[in-house]
Amino acid sequence: MGLFDIFKKKKVDQENQSAEVEQQTTPESALSESEKQVTDADQNQPAEKSANVAATDQQNQPVAKDAADTHVSATADHDEAKHEPAEVVAENSKDEHDGDQSVATDHNQNQGQKQDQHEDQHQDKQSNQDAYDRGLKQSRNGFAERFNRFLANFRSVDENFFEELEDTLIGADLGFDLAIQISNQVREAVKVQNIKDKDQIRSLIIEQMVSQYEAQGQNEDQTMHFAPAGQPTVILFVGVNGVGKTTTVGKLASTYKKEGKKVLLAAADTFRAGAVKQLQEWGNRANVPVVAGPEKADPASVVYTAVERAKEEHYDVLFVDTAGRLQNNVNLMQELSKINRVVKKVLPDAPQEVLLVLDATTGQNALQQAKLFQDSSDVTGIVLTKMDGTAKGGIVFAIRDSLHLPVKWIGFGEKATDLRVFSAEDFVYGMFKDLV
């Protein structure tokens, strides 16, 4: 099943769930007329009928009592004739009953556990989708407004239509090259399928966007890589100042600490005022130690100390926060290369990840930053931050098209839980659910 098919299925499932909720919360006023009549009839029964029923019950009580007494006497005589103590029979029956009840209880507990696990998985999945829905609200609304404005001028599928489509996609931060590709694909599909209806055109454009995005990500590795058991995993964070590197390190430290991993942080951004203190505050929140040097210390020396400690004290993960000065690109890239060499000197197979942190609010500027770091560092993936504060969600499409780097994490807010593992399915649904 392709990504667009998954999107449509999720859309149908969501609509069905909404319909079920509406049915369950139907107000009393929506009851049918016949249901109301039956209810009214039950409530307004004559008092005489109730009195007659009570009298009849009272007359029948002695007869029922006599029959019960006769049954008890006959049972007692029968037990004496068999010379079997009634207590023993009762105990045996109780033991058998308790055994059956115990088996039934175990079965019910197992069923309950399975149901709880299923519900937890469903809630986690729903929680993740809710986070994407909320976090992508500005991007979704911005794209929908731009897209609907474009379709409002729809008259026919001519050359002007495709020029306006390209402008619309470029304005949505998909980038020039990708906008041209999608426009050409739509042009071909319209010609082959002879599509003229506005709603069909709308669906076709979204389908081509999603299909192109899926096709370009076929060989991407979105998983996080870890060192073999017994060795610390080293993850470097790179990016310019102000994109949220230190905050991202703190959030991931909290996430992995909650998963039971032994986490260590290295404050290698020694030149930005307040960077070390900021990371130490995150470390205190997550109860994670931070390796820091004196002010203006050599970042590579801090990293070396942190890697040695991570190895000797058997830490599971070491997160390294690096500098992001762009006043002198050459010095910055030389510094990152030096840090990388220092890490390999202690742990030859590290670092396992080099994550480039990008600010989603900067749009196409983020692509220029990414190319700069990609040319100088062995970047393995991207963390996209501040997604909830921008209408430039189209940058995700441009990143895959231009950089062919996987987005591994996406941030929707300030809390640690607002940093989520990137899901292409949830992202596509969160972006386009109001358009198809």
Side-chain angles (χ1 to χ4, degrees), residues 55-193:
T56 302
D57 291 344
Q58 187 173 5
Q59 290 174 358
N60 291 335
Q61 281 180 357
V63 177
K65 186 175 183 302
D66 292 343
D69 291 342
T70 302
H71 176 71
V72 170
S73 299
T75 303
D77 293 342
H78 179 68
D79 289 341
E80 289 177 3
K82 292 178 64 177
H83 302 288
E84 291 184 0
E87 293 82 357
V88 174
V89 175
E91 287 181 4
N92 291 338
S93 299
K94 183 177 183 298
D95 291 340
E96 293 175 0
H97 175 71
D98 289 345
D100 294 341
Q101 190 173 17
S102 176
V103 173
T105 301
D106 293 340
H107 175 72
N108 291 337
Q109 288 177 347
N110 291 334
Q111 290 294 106
Q113 291 174 354
K114 291 180 180 179
Q115 184 175 356
D116 290 342
Q117 291 175 357
H118 177 73
E119 289 178 354
D120 289 343
Q121 292 174 355
H122 175 73
Q123 289 175 357
D124 290 343
K125 186 176 181 180
Q126 190 64 37
S127 173
N128 203 53
Q129 184 62 70
D130 290 342
Y132 273 79
D133 288 349
R134 292 192 302 271
L136 293 172
K137 183 177 180 180
Q138 288 194 45
S139 290
R140 179 170 61 251
N141 291 345
F143 185 82
E145 180 181 355
R146 187 182 299 274
F147 197 66
N148 288 332
R149 189 165 58 243
F150 155 68
L151 287 177
N153 298 324
F154 176 84
R155 294 294 179 271
S156 62
V157 185
D158 53 17
E159 194 57 36
N160 289 334
F161 169 84
F162 290 108
E163 289 181 3
E164 291 182 17
L165 174 59
E166 291 166 6
D167 291 341
T168 300
L169 297 178
I170 293 172
D173 281 284
L174 269 71
F176 178 81
D177 292 338
L178 183 58
I180 297 300
Q181 291 177 37
I182 293 173
S183 177
N184 289 337
Q185 289 169 351
V186 173
R187 186 195 305 267
E188 185 65 23
V190 167
K191 182 178 179 181
V192 172
Q193 302 176 34

Side-chain angles (χ1 to χ4, degrees), residues 95-311:
D95 291 340
E96 293 175 0
H97 175 71
D98 289 345
D100 294 341
Q101 190 173 17
S102 176
V103 173
T105 301
D106 293 340
H107 175 72
N108 291 337
Q109 288 177 347
N110 291 334
Q111 290 294 106
Q113 291 174 354
K114 291 180 180 179
Q115 184 175 356
D116 290 342
Q117 291 175 357
H118 177 73
E119 289 178 354
D120 289 343
Q121 292 174 355
H122 175 73
Q123 289 175 357
D124 290 343
K125 186 176 181 180
Q126 190 64 37
S127 173
N128 203 53
Q129 184 62 70
D130 290 342
Y132 273 79
D133 288 349
R134 292 192 302 271
L136 293 172
K137 183 177 180 180
Q138 288 194 45
S139 290
R140 179 170 61 251
N141 291 345
F143 185 82
E145 180 181 355
R146 187 182 299 274
F147 197 66
N148 288 332
R149 189 165 58 243
F150 155 68
L151 287 177
N153 298 324
F154 176 84
R155 294 294 179 271
S156 62
V157 185
D158 53 17
E159 194 57 36
N160 289 334
F161 169 84
F162 290 108
E163 289 181 3
E164 291 182 17
L165 174 59
E166 291 166 6
D167 291 341
T168 300
L169 297 178
I170 293 172
D173 281 284
L174 269 71
F176 178 81
D177 292 338
L178 183 58
I180 297 300
Q181 291 177 37
I182 293 173
S183 177
N184 289 337
Q185 289 169 351
V186 173
R187 186 195 305 267
E188 185 65 23
V190 167
K191 182 178 179 181
V192 172
Q193 302 176 34
N194 193 27
I195 297 176
K196 298 179 181 180
D197 180 72
K198 180 187 293 189
D199 290 335
Q200 288 181 309
I201 287 287
R202 177 198 303 269
S203 181
L204 174 63
I205 294 171
I206 302 300
E207 181 178 1
Q208 292 301 324
M209 289 179 64
V210 174
S211 298
Q212 180 73 2
Y213 175 73
E214 181 181 20
Q216 292 176 337
Q218 288 296 323
N219 297 320
E220 283 186 359
D221 184 2
Q222 289 186 272
T223 60
M224 291 288 288
H225 298 102
F226 294 89
Q231 297 182 25
T233 295
V234 180
I235 300 177
L236 301 184
F237 291 82
V238 300
V240 303
N241 287 339
V243 296
K245 281 198 312 295
T246 304
T247 300
T248 298
V249 172
K251 290 177 179 179
L252 281 177
S254 177
T255 298
Y256 282 101
K257 179 64 183 282
K258 289 179 180 178
E259 292 180 0
K261 295 186 182 298
K262 189 177 180 181
V263 180
L264 181 66
L265 305 181
D269 186 0
T270 58
F271 293 94
R272 181 172 67 88
V276 173
K277 185 177 180 180
Q278 183 185 2
L279 189 63
Q280 288 172 333
E281 289 178 355
W282 274 105
N284 291 333
R285 291 186 200 175
N287 195 25
V288 169
V290 179
V291 176
E295 188 176 356
K296 306 298 182 182
D298 179 18
S301 67
V302 175
V303 174
Y304 182 82
T305 302
V307 176
E308 285 279 9
R309 179 175 173 181
K311 182 179 179 180

Side-chain angles (χ1 to χ4, degrees), residues 14 34 44 47 49 55 66 115 125 145 151 178-179 188 198 284 331 358 363 377 380 396 398 401 427 431 433-434:
Q14 192 70 27
S34 59
N44 298 324
K49 182 178 179 182
D66 292 343
Q115 184 175 356
K125 186 176 181 180
E145 180 181 355
L151 287 177
L178 183 58
E188 185 65 23
K198 180 187 293 189
N284 291 333
N331 287 348
L358 297 176
S377 307
T380 59
V396 173
D401 178 66
F427 175 79
M431 277 290 292
K433 69 173 189 174
D434 295 337

